[in-house]
Amino acid sequence: MSRRTSPVIPGFGLTLGYTLVYLSLLVLIPLGAMFVHAAQLTWDQFWAIVSSPRVLAALKLSFGTAFLAAIINGVIGTLLAWVLVRYTFPGRKIIEAMIDLPFALPTAVAGIALTALYAPNGLIGQFATTLGFKIAYTPLGITLALTFVTLPFVVRTLQPVLADIPREVEEAAACLGAKPLQVARHVLLPALLPAWLTGFALAFARGVGEYGSVIFIAGNMPMKTEILPLLIMVQLDQYNYAGATAIGVLMLVVSFILLLLINLLQRRISRS
């Protein structure tokens, strides 16, 4: 007669209830309150706020720089993950710790450090000024800050997947006559692409909502270097709660649509 093994955690009903309550308190209720507050506006008022040139410029800047930073980290993060997984060398642990630094470092500190480094009179910014362009207080500086804070998402997502790919698979493909580029395209890329999309989505989502590391290096010039999170803060400082919630709803809807498309693409690739 077999004995029934007790589960490690309580049953499905209790754990599901706890999960729903936890998500409701942290996510659903605050987001629902934002939609309820925004619903106090008429459609014409809402559209007038979200379609204003200042909001559209901030929307384009926030999502554009976040997307560009995620793409850059998609390339650099893949190379870093590959080196850390496939090679053993002196200083490897130091590089591992440096990759995790954006997780531990307060984003405001990162923003101040990047601004001091890339400002026109900074250690690196002064050479850029000599060459005739600026890094800080431009979209380039915002992209640089977002690249810094979102790098760990791609690297840490790809590392376990790379570690699970046996080297024998690559060696077998090489023995069958495949060139290195063919091995990367037909053997490694299909296995890495779902994880790469996950890391890209995480980096993109973090970049869209980033505030602390960007506010110092952006310069915060309306229509030029003003990001959406800062614009929301400006509306709150002016006690324009309706405008702030309308911009927040716009940001939430656009982010949700983009992340949904990325997840659908990831699921389709995983099934193929």
Side-chain angles (χ1 to χ4, degrees):
M1 183 177 179
S2 61
R3 293 188 306 170
R4 181 181 177 184
T5 57
S6 60
V8 178
I9 58 178
F12 173 76
L14 181 60
T15 53
L16 178 61
Y18 174 80
T19 301
L20 293 178
V21 171
Y22 189 78
L23 287 177
S24 297
L25 292 175
L26 292 182
V27 180
L28 298 180
I29 293 178
L31 294 183
M34 184 174 65
F35 277 96
V36 169
H37 195 84
Q40 298 176 4
L41 298 170
T42 64
W43 172 251
D44 292 336
Q45 292 173 330
F46 178 82
W47 182 252
I49 293 173
V50 301
S51 62
S52 64
R54 185 176 180 182
V55 172
L56 293 179
L59 179 71
K60 180 181 178 180
L61 180 66
S62 293
F63 282 89
T65 53
F67 182 83
L68 183 58
I71 289 292
I72 294 173
N73 279 332
V75 177
I76 298 176
T78 302
L79 295 176
L80 283 173
W82 176 268
V83 170
L84 293 174
V85 170
R86 293 303 175 92
Y87 301 103
T88 303
F89 52 91
R92 181 173 174 272
K93 295 296 183 182
I94 297 177
I95 296 178
E96 290 267 9
M98 291 176 61
I99 290 174
D100 287 332
L101 187 61
F103 283 151
L105 189 68
T107 54
V109 176
I112 294 173
L114 291 172
T115 304
L117 191 63
Y118 293 105
N121 59 346
L123 183 62
I124 297 178
Q126 59 182 337
F127 297 106
T129 303
T130 304
L131 295 175
F133 67 97
K134 294 196 305 181
I135 299 178
Y137 317 130
T138 65
L140 176 60
I142 297 174
T143 304
L144 185 65
L146 295 180
T147 303
F148 171 79
V149 298
T150 59
L151 177 62
F153 291 96
V154 179
V155 177
R156 296 311 183 202
T157 304
L158 289 177
Q159 272 187 299
V161 180
L162 278 171
D164 288 338
I165 301 177
R167 294 191 179 186
E168 290 79 6
V169 176
E170 303 169 43
E171 295 172 357
C175 291
L176 292 174
K179 297 180 180 179
L181 186 59
Q182 292 175 318
V183 174
R185 179 180 178 183
H186 297 287
V187 177
L188 297 177
L189 185 59
L192 288 177
L193 191 54
W196 189 91
L197 286 174
T198 300
F200 172 86
L202 292 173
F204 175 74
R206 169 67 188 274
V208 167
E210 179 60 28
Y211 178 79
S213 64
V214 177
I215 187 173
F216 296 104
I217 200 171
N220 311 321
M221 293 177 286
M223 306 293 296
K224 293 182 179 180
T225 60
E226 186 178 48
I227 58 174
L228 271 180
L230 175 64
L231 185 55
I232 293 174
M233 291 298 300
V234 170
Q235 299 299 319
L236 291 175
D237 289 340
Q238 296 174 354
Y239 301 101
N240 185 11
Y241 300 116
T245 53
I247 298 171
V249 168
L250 172 67
M251 193 175 182
L252 178 63
V253 171
V254 175
S255 299
F256 179 79
I257 293 174
L258 292 176
L259 292 177
L260 178 62
L261 293 176
I262 294 173
N263 288 331
L264 291 176
L265 178 62
Q266 180 188 15
R267 180 177 297 182
R268 182 175 180 180
I269 291 174
S270 300
R271 290 178 176 177
S272 60

